[in-house]
Amino acid sequence: MPEPKDHQRALFTRQSRVRGLMLGLALGETLGAARGTVPAGVLRAGVATQLACFTAEGVIRAQVRLQHKGICHAPGVVLHAYSRWAYLQGIAREKMLARWNPHGTGRWPDGWLADVPALAERRGSAPATVTALSRIDEGEKAMPTPSRGAHALTRGLPVAVAGVEGVALVDALAGLTHGDPAARAAAVHATLLARHCLNHPAPERTPYTPYAGILTEALEAGLAALPSEARDLTDDQHDRLTSAVREAAARPADRAVLARLAPDATAPAALLGGLYAAASFPRPADLPAALAFAATASAGDCVACVTGALLGAAHGAGLLPAGLVARHELAWVLDTLARDLVLEFDDSPSGGEYVRGWDPDWWNRYPGW
């Protein structure tokens, strides 16, 4: 059994990396949408960041339900999270109320995210997600669109915290709204690679020499493990992912390569472009340059979103640019969700069916449904 201090240090490292993933994702989308320039004043969140917040909250609530009930259909719990986002956005409100609060009892939408003003504002287009959620009264099987858009991937990245067990979940979450097999596959592959960035051990280093090789090592380990972790991975998919990382080593930060890998706003393009951009700038200090480069892609917000998530997951929140993080309007929200994600999987603050919890407010923050 690990010593208390060892556990505390491991928890701190894990929290830092999950915080890095969430904050990096958000910074990437914001700067990518600005085509690589840094806007003055407050940095506004985009729609992919909004949806990623609700994914993270939904995953926590699914885990809470599992602990208390012993059984949980996690995709349904996260669909409930997306429905709360839709209601706040003014999307199919009557259908959402009929599905989730038909008798008008209690407060709905519930949970603390419903009180965050920036999550109720329209921040870009998510057509496949909106179309699918607008069909919620037809049942989950009728909801998906034929889209292979990037939101199937970007919003699911927080599921990387769930480990290999999250593969089935992220596939199901992508499939709620995006029926294209390539979009679902890209979402799975991105989440598995992000998981390796979260979990790859870093060697001992001094405070003055941040280890730059961790991202490259994590991606190489992830690519090597992908055939055994991702069901139905094709040789072509694996070759494309491997080639993107190899090209970053041979021809880093080449706009022609980025344009070829990420020509549109699809999930496969976001993954390939994000991989290439991240691997082209593996050093922690180069994250702003990585996001600026990723932003030059055709769908720069999507590519930079993946780039930021991978780099943040590998290096941790402490190495993100403080001047950018401090100006992001959802920095506190993202940071809190990341910490709570790790805490729920590590210690279940609300307890469970047979175990008393130590945080009496946890269930109110994250109701298990």
Side-chain angles (χ1 to χ4, degrees), residues 70-324:
I71 188 171
C72 175
H73 179 59
V77 178
V78 183
L79 173 60
H80 183 202
Y82 295 153
S83 298
R84 293 191 297 278
W85 170 81
Y87 183 86
L88 293 172
Q89 297 276 315
I91 298 165
R93 282 193 159 192
E94 294 303 318
K95 293 181 180 180
M96 297 304 164
L97 289 172
R99 171 69 180 265
W100 302 108
N101 193 22
H103 306 296
T105 56
R107 178 199 174 207
W108 194 90
D110 55 4
W112 69 273
L113 276 194
D115 294 326
V116 178
L119 295 177
E121 296 182 8
R122 293 290 180 96
R123 294 294 178 81
S125 175
T129 301
V130 170
T131 298
L133 290 173
S134 298
R135 298 173 183 166
I136 196 167
D137 57 327
E138 301 176 30
E140 292 180 25
K141 291 184 178 180
M143 285 173 52
T145 72
S147 172
R148 66 170 61 186
H151 287 145
L153 183 163
T154 53
R155 73 175 190 225
L157 287 168
V159 181
V161 177
V164 176
E165 296 78 9
V167 171
L169 175 57
V170 77
D171 179 50
L173 295 185
L176 287 172
T177 56
H178 294 68
D180 187 275
R184 297 177 64 165
V188 169
H189 302 158
T191 303
L192 284 170
L193 291 173
R195 181 182 73 86
H196 280 274
C197 289
L198 288 175
N199 297 336
H200 192 76
E204 293 293 329
R205 59 179 175 84
T206 72
Y208 306 104
T209 57
Y211 183 63
I214 185 171
L215 175 80
T216 303
E217 291 177 3
L219 293 179
E220 289 175 350
L223 290 169
L226 211 55
S228 62
E229 294 178 348
R231 186 183 63 184
D232 299 331
L233 175 75
T234 67
D235 290 340
D236 181 62
Q237 289 169 341
H238 194 237
D239 288 345
R240 286 173 180 267
L241 295 170
T242 303
S243 295
V245 174
R246 288 177 178 168
E247 285 196 271
R251 300 171 58 190
D254 187 319
R255 290 195 179 189
V257 174
L258 181 63
R260 171 168 50 82
L261 293 173
D264 51 37
T266 61
L271 175 54
L272 290 173
L275 262 181
Y276 175 73
S280 291
F281 295 90
R283 297 189 308 167
D286 291 338
L287 184 136
L291 298 183
F293 171 70
T296 64
S298 175
D301 55 341
C302 305
V303 173
C305 187
V306 176
T307 302
L310 293 175
L311 288 168
H315 298 308
L319 293 176
L320 295 177
L324 295 179

Side-chain angles (χ1 to χ4, degrees), residues 35-50:
R35 306 307 294 174
T37 61
V38 180
V42 174
L43 301 181
R44 289 162 58 88
V47 64
T49 301
Q50 290 180 331

